[in-house]
Amino acid sequence: MPLDADIAAAYRQRWRIEISGAVQGVGFRPTVYRHAAKNRVTGWVANTSAGVVIEAEGRAKDLHAFRHAIVTDPPPHAVIHQVTEHAIAPTGDTAFQVRDSQSTTPGDLLILPDLATCNDCLAEVFDPANRRHLYPFTNCTNCGPRYSIIMGLPYDRPATTMAEFEMCPACRAEYANPRDRRFHAQPNACPDCGPQMALSTDDGTVIADREAAVDTAIEQLRAGAILAVKGLGGFHLFVDATNPDAIARLRQRKRRPDKPLALMVPDLAWAKLLTHVDAVAEQSLTSAAAPIVLLPRKPNTDIADNVAPANPELGMMLPYTPLHHILLRGLGRPVIATSGNLSDEPIAIDNQDARARLADIADLFLLHNRPIVRPVEDSVVRILAGRPQILRRGRGYAPFPLPTGTAGQPVLATGPHLKNTTGILRGNQFFMSPHIGDLDTSAAEDLLRRTTNDLSDYTQTEPALVACDPHPDYASTRHAENLGLPTIQVQHHLAHVIACATEHNLNPPYLGIAWDGTGLGTDGTIWGGEFILVDGEVWHRVAHLHPFPLPGGDVAAREPRRAAFGLLYAAFGEAGLNVEALAPVTAFTAAERQTLLRAVEKGINAPLTSSMGRLFDGIAALLDIRQRATFEGQAAMELEWLARSGNAGAPYPFTITDDMIDWRPLLTAVLAAQQDGAAKADIAATFHATLADMMVAVARRTGVPDIILTGGCFQNRLLSELAIARLDDAGFKPHWHQQVPPNDGGIALGQAVWARLQRGKAPCA
Ligand code: ZN
Ligand code: ZN
Ligand code: FE
């Protein structure tokens, strides 16, 4: 017998296995424990700030099987980036243990985004016999808050906002049991020991608490009240989506007359009742990210018309916390779930702050006492050409990194001014912040500053270089300059192109079609209708729209009639502005026209632009679809909706000479068609088709197969679909955004990648 034991011992090996990736807060260690038991492996597993480390002892055959099982059968939300192992001396362990976290070597740890409630937890919440029946903070290692509650690393309860809640014996037992779904679920809680709800007025008077708070909130919603609801990454404003009067009140109080509002529906069946949900859309809707998905709406539903006026799509999301499930199931109908903020400010996350800022909007406040560390807004996704495309990257996706190909020095990118996101490029991963939004308010600027510090902390990275936009008036540019680090400015449209190329891991040369509202060009004019060829480490603006003046500059973004004014002036001179038959002309008084004319002639506050976004605005104004917009992109959206119902005729003419695309023949043709009484919808459809022709024409002249579609204009579904189809037909390979938005929300990625490439070329710094 002793001899046998000696032989057995001689065949034993011990491996130290290190795993990096998204391996904490996902039930990784219990899974390792399970695989160890199955494969007769002893030793231990622990979290480190670099990921997970295992010491495993057993026969070589079993160790191989154990390692294989971990890699091929990890827990649902884990993402393994790297596994390394080496042999060490056996110690003769007789059991397998799950150890507490080991601190702290800077490393490769990834923080998970917040995850929607899993089906196991959902079943418990609606099981009257379960101790968590109707408990709004139920979660487990497969679901619940992560990024929004993390204060530091490693990811352990004391480093989250759950630190202040001491677990009861029942919760503690789950937390300590490696075989339990809640083993080391850091936000683990129950009605006895965890956070609680309260319903309050704006002055802080509590009307009801715990379950009664939620019941009363449901009654109030049913009666048409506007509720501020504290959720996962911040506050929402909730209102009954079938009550047009209540919605009108919300729109008026939020000063948001037309912009589409998103819906939260009780369940998937409701989503299918209201919209067309295909398999890809269903996958996005029901994913752990649970984003808002833009879906084609069905006619004749109970949804009030003023939810998304005239919009052929509805933004739809499923409940993603137990609280949302309980509220929506109780109400039994969809609600508007819009960001809890004043027009352009970041969303509120703090109870007191929300009561102060939203006092004039919300009738009541449904609050809880689990603090939110940082705002994380709902993500927005749509399905384009059969694939999900992220239009706003927030909850469920951020701060999960995007792969960027090659490694290099760490770079911070401060992003654009509108729809800001920021991010850190570390190694070959870009850690993009959640959507921060427009930087027009000091609150938003503050959030940008806090977010860059935050990213630097949790990636344990000191950036050596800062990338930003060249526009001197962008708050993000100012922030970059104030950091006191070497800074590289990356042209706005180039950043758009590089962001998309990085997503698709493209090698130059490629042609980027960057069409958007505005971005500062290298010649001091405002660009936005750009064709950019990236060739090796240099880029060329190979084609662009013929420039036209934009009287009023930034004001023109909200007044399509000004874009039309500039187009008419560029095409016909002063004569074009005296045609009283044209809607945008008569949208100004004679005196206003004189003032604008002088501004344009003298070039005072009338910058030249090659913006495609403004060309869209101008055409929308000429067709009298809209002269003034209440939100960015409204006129172009309405032009697209109209075009979808029209029939495209023969394309309108345009010419390309050298790098200049002359749209003036197109404008003349649009005006002629209008005069001939052509239907607006048909003109709009022909305009879209003509632009697809324009892309193909420039692609042919350039002769590069890979074509990138980027910029805010490609939020236009019709334009994107036409571009993809026409480029494909013509033998090109079109590429479009999926992981980061085509709008300015994606450009931080391009800034960081390009800046690092440029810096690499410099001899020293
Ligand atoms: Zn769960
Ligand atoms: Zn408990
Ligand atoms: Fe842009």
Side-chain angles (χ1 to χ4, degrees), residues 306-389:
N306 54 354
V307 168
N311 194 331
E313 296 181 349
L314 282 178
M316 190 75 64
M317 74 181 136
L318 297 181
Y320 55 84
T321 68
L323 173 64
H324 296 147
H325 282 287
I326 296 164
L327 275 172
L328 271 289
R329 218 179 258 204
L331 188 65
R333 65 182 88 143
V335 292
I336 300 292
T338 187
S339 308
N341 58 1
L342 300 174
S343 328
D344 290 328
E345 287 185 1
I347 45 167
I349 55 172
D350 172 76
N351 289 351
Q352 215 174 340
D353 177 51
R355 285 201 310 263
R357 278 166 62 199
L358 305 176
D360 293 336
I361 303 178
D363 297 312
L364 287 168
F365 294 79
L366 186 58
L367 307 172
H368 61 70
N369 57 346
R370 184 180 73 200
I372 299 172
V373 178
R374 52 185 73 79
V376 190
E377 290 212 54
D378 295 323
S379 296
V380 180
V381 166
R382 60 114 170 254
I383 313 302
L384 181 67
R387 298 181 213 164
Q389 176 182 54

Side-chain angles (χ1 to χ4, degrees), residues 115-147:
L115 304 171
T117 307
C118 75
N119 288 332
D120 292 334
C121 285
L122 193 58
E124 290 176 355
V125 168
F126 289 109
D127 173 5
N130 192 282
R131 71 190 190 92
R132 290 189 174 84
H133 183 227
L134 301 183
Y135 181 58
F137 303 91
T138 303
N139 66 80
C140 72
T141 49
N142 298 322
C143 74
R146 297 286 185 279
Y147 185 53

Side-chain angles (χ1 to χ4, degrees), residues 2-24:
L3 191 63
D4 282 355
D6 285 348
I7 291 168
Y11 280 100
R12 280 178 83 81
Q13 294 185 3
R14 189 174 180 92
W15 293 0
R16 187 175 166 92
I17 305 172
E18 285 166 344
I19 304 175
S20 67
V23 291
Q24 292 186 17

Side-chain angles (χ1 to χ4, degrees), residues 492-493 496 516-519 711-712 742-744 747:
H492 186 96
H493 301 96
H496 271 301
D516 68 355
T518 59
N743 59 49
D744 285 5
I747 78 168

Side-chain angles (χ1 to χ4, degrees), residues 521-599:
T522 54
D523 59 0
T525 69
I526 296 173
W527 292 7
E530 311 308 309
F531 290 82
I532 287 174
L533 176 69
V534 178
D535 192 3
E537 291 181 7
V538 293
W539 63 284
H540 313 275
R541 185 195 193 199
V542 291
H544 60 90
L545 290 185
H546 187 286
F548 55 96
L550 208 51
D554 288 342
V555 177
R558 290 284 167 104
E559 290 190 29
R561 59 182 187 159
R562 286 176 186 260
F565 189 101
L567 292 171
L568 289 169
Y569 180 80
F572 311 113
E574 192 177 341
L577 306 174
N578 294 321
V579 185
E580 291 281 350
L582 294 177
V585 171
T586 49
F588 294 107
T589 65
E592 284 171 335
R593 287 204 295 270
Q594 276 312 309
T595 310
L596 292 181
L597 181 63
R598 269 198 303 277

Side-chain angles (χ1 to χ4, degrees), residues 142 170 219 240 267 337 344 426 462 502 521 568 603 627 640 694 711 738 765:
N142 298 322
E219 280 165 31
D240 180 354
D267 53 29
D344 290 328
R426 182 190 77 183
E462 286 296 335
T502 304
L568 289 169
Q627 304 301 339
E640 181 203 345
M694 192 182 282
Q738 287 163 41

Side-chain angles (χ1 to χ4, degrees), residues 131 168 171 189-190 192-193:
R131 71 190 190 92
C168 69
C171 286
C190 78
D192 292 337
C193 65

